[in-house]
Amino acid sequence: EDKVVQSPLSLVVHEGDTVTLNCSYEVTNFRSLLWYKQEKKAPTFLFMLTSSGIEKKSGRLSSILDKKELFSILNITATQTGDSAVYLCAVDWLGGTSYGKLTFGQGTILTVHP
Amino acid sequence: DAGVTQSPTHLIKTRGQHVTLRCSPISGHKSVSWYQQVLGQGPQFIFQYYEKEERGRGNFPDRFSARQFPNYSSELNVNALLLGDSALYLCASSLLQAVAKNIQYFGAGTRLSVL
């Protein structure tokens, strides 16, 4: 059974704080792990991780994958109010499909106060 | 370039009716996937289509069906609507090449309310 679990489910911080979002997974035939940001409707792509130990960075955001321990973290430094959103973790795996499918976690609701 | 476009943006139906949702992928993308997102949850996989053929199906009843057209656009059909079908329906497209390029890009979704 595929399973993706995110923690915490919600987080409230003040501008300038650093946050760490967690994602653990249990799937067979893992292909990649993706992070998305969802502000209103469309989830927007942040990172794709396929190899352990290689950090991906984009500005104040960074992410890393541990394939041995089956988890990933998303870090956001110097948070801004514009970072307020739901952050979704998804695993791409060959679960009864020919071409892979995404299984999502519940999401972490991040609220950044001024 | 235009992203993934979905129509309509909002829809209100009553129980027992059927609905058709539409999706146009990013130009050059041949794979379209559909997801259902209930409030407070992550998206849940419904279907994946590639080259006009169904390549994967999630745990949804037969009331849900889809198809992909020669121009790679797609429709999701839901028959005999239930209150529990109320959700945001998301469409995603991808190149579906090597894993490293298989990033799914999402449209803004169709908000379906069943009364």
Side-chain angles (χ1 to χ4, degrees), chain B residues 3-102:
Chain B
V4 178
T5 57
Q6 293 187 242
S7 63
T9 54
H10 294 91
L11 208 48
I12 299 174
K13 294 284 188 179
T14 56
R15 280 177 297 175
Q17 287 188 310
H18 74 272
V19 66
T20 298
L21 311 180
R22 295 177 176 83
C23 171
S24 292
I26 292 170
S27 177
H29 286 191
K30 297 182 178 181
S31 175
V32 168
S33 296
W34 288 94
Y35 294 83
Q36 180 196 65
Q37 188 175 23
V38 174
L39 201 61
Q41 300 291 322
Q44 189 173 358
F45 173 75
I46 309 176
F47 286 112
Q48 182 186 54
Y49 276 78
Y50 177 68
E51 290 286 12
K52 302 178 285 294
E53 289 191 20
E54 182 184 305
R55 305 293 182 169
R57 171 187 280 258
N59 293 326
F60 281 81
D62 292 343
R63 299 184 295 107
F64 288 76
S65 64
R67 54 180 177 167
Q68 187 177 34
F69 300 100
N71 66 354
Y72 303 110
S73 67
S74 178
E75 282 182 356
L76 176 70
N77 295 286
V78 187
N79 293 324
L81 286 167
L82 303 174
L83 295 179
D85 295 332
S86 296
L88 179 66
Y89 288 85
L90 294 164
C91 172
S93 75
S94 69
L95 283 168
L96 205 67
Q97 294 176 348
V99 171
K101 292 188 177 179
N102 189 26

